[in-house]
Amino acid sequence: MQIGHDHRNDRSRSPEYADPALRLGVLLILLVPCTDWFITFSQLGNGNVPRAIAVTPINLLLQLLLLPFYLWLMLGAELSTALAPADIWPALVVVLVPLAAAALSERWIEARPEREVFRDRLAWWPIPLLALVVFLIAAAQVGAVQGALRLLPLIVPLFVVFLLLAALIAKGLAKLMELPLDQGRTLAFSLGTRNSFVVLPFALSLPAGWEVAAVVIVVQSLVELFGMVIYLWWIPRKLFRE
C-alpha cells in the first residue's frame, strides 16, 4: 500500500509543462519584478535613477508581503508539504540581512556629503557581483541543471519572448502616459528584470523533487543577464532614443 504521494512519479507520467515545480519556478519569476540591479541598468542606460531608487523600497516590501500569497496560490494544498515554516526562515534571513545592510550603508553615506563618492564609485558593482552570484548558484546546481536539460527548449524561449514583450509594453505605457524618455527607459528596465534573488532562496529551500523550480530561476537569471546587455544597447539607442 502506498501511503504518500510521489510528485516525481507524477512528473514522469505527465507532460513536462504540467510539472508543478516547473510551473512554480516560472510563475515566481514572472510575478516578482526586480528591485536590485535594474537600478544599475537604468543608470547605465540613461534612465531616471532617483525615481528607480524611490520606488524600490515599496516594491520590495510589497513583494515580501505578497510572496506567501503567491506560494499559496501556486501550490495550494501542496504548500504545507513543499515548504515547512522551518524552511522559510533561512530564506527570509538571506533576503532581510542584505536589505538591512543596504539601509545602514545608505544612512552612513548620507551622514556626510563627502561620502557620496563611495556611492558613485560602487554604483556599477551590482552587475558583476550579481552575475558572479548567478554563475556560482548555477555551478552549485549543475547536477539539477543537467537533469533538467530537456526543459531548456521550453523555458529559454519563454524568457526571451518575455524580455521582448516587456520592452514593448514599457514603450506603449510610456507613450500612453507621456513619460519623459529617461522615465520610459527606467520603466523598460524595471519590467524586463525579475527578482530572482528574492525568490531563489525560497526555491532552494524546497525539498527533494522540487529542484526544477530552482533550475528555472537560475536559467532565467542567465537569460536576463545577457538580455540586459542587449537592453543597454536597444533601449537608449533604438526604443527610447532622443
Side-chain angles (χ1 to χ4, degrees):
M1 181 177 68
Q2 184 178 4
I3 298 177
H5 185 77
D6 192 340
H7 297 292
R8 286 170 288 185
N9 289 338
D10 285 348
R11 289 199 292 273
S12 64
R13 294 193 301 265
S14 304
E16 292 174 344
Y17 56 79
D19 187 322
L22 172 62
R23 290 187 285 110
L24 175 64
V26 171
L27 288 173
L28 278 176
I29 282 294
L30 296 184
L31 288 174
V32 185
C34 182
T35 58
D36 36 56
W37 63 359
F38 97 93
I39 298 175
T40 303
F41 285 117
S42 296
Q43 181 180 22
L44 296 175
N46 297 323
N48 191 310
V49 177
R51 288 186 179 272
I53 295 174
V55 76
T56 293
I58 300 173
N59 198 356
L60 182 57
L61 289 175
L62 285 176
Q63 289 177 24
L64 292 175
L65 292 174
L66 289 173
L67 191 55
F69 172 74
Y70 286 159
L71 291 172
W72 174 82
L73 189 65
M74 297 171 202
L75 296 178
E78 301 174 17
L79 177 60
S80 59
T81 58
L83 265 183
D87 299 322
I88 296 177
W89 282 110
L92 284 175
V93 170
V94 170
V95 174
L96 295 178
V97 169
L99 180 61
L104 292 174
S105 300
E106 186 69 19
R107 286 187 175 273
W108 181 81
I109 290 174
E110 291 179 348
R112 294 184 180 180
E114 62 269 18
R115 293 174 180 171
E116 291 284 343
V117 66
F118 292 103
R119 179 189 290 159
D120 296 336
R121 290 178 179 176
L122 298 175
W124 61 275
W125 277 43
I127 293 179
L129 290 177
L130 288 173
L132 177 61
V133 170
V134 170
F135 283 110
L136 288 176
I137 294 174
Q141 297 292 314
V142 65
V145 171
Q146 289 177 345
L149 288 177
R150 72 188 189 284
L151 300 175
L152 294 184
L154 292 174
I155 58 178
V156 170
L158 171 65
F159 295 137
V160 171
V161 170
F162 176 82
L163 284 170
L164 176 62
L165 291 178
L168 296 178
I169 290 172
K171 178 67 174 180
L173 290 175
K175 185 176 182 180
L176 179 65
M177 296 184 289
E178 299 181 349
L179 296 178
L181 286 175
D182 61 341
Q183 294 183 27
R185 294 167 186 153
T186 301
L187 181 61
F189 285 112
S190 177
L191 292 180
T193 49
R194 303 288 90 193
N195 211 342
S196 58
F197 298 99
V198 166
V199 297
L200 185 57
F202 291 91
L204 293 173
S205 300
L206 293 168
W210 290 82
E211 294 86 357
V212 170
V215 171
V216 170
I217 296 172
V218 170
V219 170
Q220 186 277 337
S221 301
L222 294 173
V223 173
E224 181 180 301
L225 177 61
F226 292 106
M228 286 301 106
V229 174
I230 298 174
Y231 260 39
L232 287 176
W233 169 80
W234 184 38
I235 297 299
R237 297 186 182 183
K238 298 294 181 179
L239 200 61
F240 290 93
R241 65 180 180 181
E242 299 285 351

